[in-house]
């Protein structure tokens, strides 16, 4: 029997060239790229219980306590980001390939407390948006106030971007992460590329 | 388009929500004892007021929590928002 090799392919691997073209065409005003295969763990527990304390201690990042918040640390390639999804629900985002290890660490830290740690890394892919017009580009498809005073670093929201359900996370230096379901990713990239046309540099 | 104040996420546009029908319709304590007419009344009969109406909404595009809203069916004005399971507030 022929040996089978299964290759993991990110939902937007086919679009990398088209996204790079956006940066070229806009003269760097908008930079869009996929960050494939980021670790994503869905964490559900009582925010006031001992499990919350144990989980935050193991992650080294406090769990954001209210809507619209995201916490990160430590900066670098091991950076973890925790996004508030609901009153008892968080999304832990980490570097690619660490999902099993991170889930095991969280589960053993939480022990027998009432909690759930679920690996949802394959559910969504991540787009990184930056550049001076990235905010304007997102604002053209999103009803939320994205002004830097309201939605800066450490802000997060689950909302609709061009009718697609996304998680927006505000990053350093006015950059954004947009987490979108794998099946919506191609559509969202088509929309982003089309919406970025107005920032093209005319020669 | 209505702007609905989610008790968790704050005001968001209507497209992010799912409608859940009339609030405070409780499951019969002893369903087996109900006559067919009473069962039909529980399943299918809902208030249809012209004015304030207590209804359920789910913020499906964001925090996915259910909550109750009192909405004026004439003006779409939202008079109160309160968590699921709480008694209906008195609207003057």
């Amino acid at each position: 029997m022929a040996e089978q090799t299964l290759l993991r392919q990110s939902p937007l691997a086919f679009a990398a060239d088209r996204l790079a073209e956006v940066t070229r065409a806009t003269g760097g005003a908008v930079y869009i790229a996929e960050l494939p295969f980021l670790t994503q763990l869905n964490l559900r527990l009582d925010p006031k219980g001992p499990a919350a304390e144990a989980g935050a201690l193991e992650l080294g990042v406090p769990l954001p306590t209210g809507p619209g918040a995201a916490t990160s640390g430590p900066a670098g390639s091991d950076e973890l980001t925790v996004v508030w999804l609901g009153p008892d629900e968080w999304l832990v985002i980490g570097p690619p390939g660490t999902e099993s290890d991170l889930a095991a660490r969280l589960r053993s830290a939480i022990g027998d407390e009432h909690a759930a740690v679920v690996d949802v890394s394959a559910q969504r892919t991540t787009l990184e948006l930056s550049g001076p017009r990235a905010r304007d580009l997102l604002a053209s498809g999103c009803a939320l106030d994205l002004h830097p005073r309201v939605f800066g670093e450490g802000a997060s929201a689950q909302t609709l971007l061009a009718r697609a359900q996304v998680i927006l996370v505000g990053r350093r230096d006015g950059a954004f992460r947009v987490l979108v379901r794998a099946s919506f990713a191609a559509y969202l990239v088509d929309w982003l590329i089309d919406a970025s046309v107005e920032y093209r540099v005319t020669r | 388009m209505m702007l609905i104040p989610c008790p968790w996420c704050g005001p968001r546009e209507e497209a992010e929500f799912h409608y859940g029908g009339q609030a405070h319709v409780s499951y019969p304590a002893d369903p087996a004892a109900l006559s067919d007419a009473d069962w039909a009344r529980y399943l299918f009969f809902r208030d249809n007021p012209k004015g304030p109406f207590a209804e359920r909404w789910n913020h499906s595009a964001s925090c996915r929590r259910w909550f109750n809203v009192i909405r004026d069916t004439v003006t779409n004005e939202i008079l109160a928002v309160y968590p699921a399971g709480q008694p209906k507030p008195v609207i003057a």
Side-chain angles (χ1 to χ4, degrees):
Chain A
M1 208 174 126
E3 198 170 308
Q4 282 194 330
T5 317
L6 295 174
L7 287 177
R8 184 157 74 153
Q9 193 174 14
S10 74
L12 293 176
F14 75 96
D17 294 343
R18 293 174 62 207
L19 291 175
E21 175 56 29
V22 169
T23 311
R24 266 196 303 278
T26 59
V30 176
Y31 166 87
I32 314 174
E34 187 193 16
L35 299 174
F37 309 132
L38 289 188
T39 289
Q40 294 166 57
L41 299 179
N42 187 279
L43 181 62
R44 295 205 69 166
L45 45 79
D46 176 2
K48 293 193 181 73
E53 220 166 290
L57 202 66
E58 181 60 40
L59 291 171
V61 181
L63 302 178
T65 51
T71 49
S72 307
S77 60
D78 310 334
E79 184 177 16
L80 291 178
T81 303
V82 187
V83 179
W84 187 96
L85 295 185
D88 56 1
E89 187 173 7
W90 293 267
L91 187 71
V92 182
I93 306 169
T98 59
E99 53 267 21
S100 327
D101 174 54
L102 192 61
R105 274 171 48 205
L106 268 173
R107 285 196 190 105
S108 72
I110 291 166
D112 290 336
E113 300 295 335
H114 189 65
V117 181
V118 181
D119 177 11
V120 293
S121 307
Q123 186 190 3
R124 300 185 186 90
T125 189
T126 309
L127 284 161
E128 174 120 296
L129 268 84
S130 59
R133 304 311 292 270
R135 201 175 290 272
D136 298 334
L137 175 63
L138 286 178
S140 62
C142 176
L144 292 184
D145 185 359
L146 296 179
H147 191 278
R149 266 203 307 269
V150 180
F151 203 98
E153 186 185 349
S156 78
Q158 302 170 84
T159 185
L160 300 176
L161 176 61
R163 301 174 294 283
Q165 214 174 330
V166 296
I167 302 175
L168 289 179
V169 184
R171 306 281 293 168
R172 279 175 283 275
D173 306 321
F176 293 89
R177 277 186 183 176
V178 180
L179 286 88
V180 59
R181 283 179 212 281
S183 53
F184 274 89
Y187 158 73
L188 192 67
V189 159
D190 282 345
W191 182 85
L192 284 168
I193 290 172
D194 182 51
S196 69
V197 166
E198 65 175 297
Y199 306 118
R200 280 195 191 159
V201 183
T202 45
R203 267 181 276 261
Chain B
M1 174 86 72
M2 288 194 288
L3 198 62
I4 300 175
C6 168
W8 292 103
C9 306
R12 295 289 184 95
E13 58 178 344
E14 185 187 344
E16 295 194 2
F17 296 85
H18 262 287
Y19 186 62
Q22 183 177 348
H24 309 294
V25 180
S26 51
Y27 193 74
D30 186 7
L34 258 55
S35 69
D36 284 356
D38 287 343
W39 184 247
R41 182 155 286 280
Y42 160 69
L43 280 185
F44 304 118
F45 282 60
R46 294 291 180 266
D47 298 343
N48 185 21
K50 184 177 180 181
F53 185 41
E55 54 196 16
R56 300 180 301 168
W57 286 86
N58 179 274
H59 195 185
S60 52
S62 185
C63 62
R64 295 183 299 288
R65 305 298 133 162
W66 285 98
F67 58 97
N68 294 335
V69 169
I70 294 184
R71 177 179 64 95
D72 191 309
T73 56
V74 178
T75 60
N76 270 347
E77 188 186 355
I78 289 170
L79 303 168
V81 172
Y82 54 103
Q86 270 193 12
K88 190 165 145 183
V90 179
I91 301 289

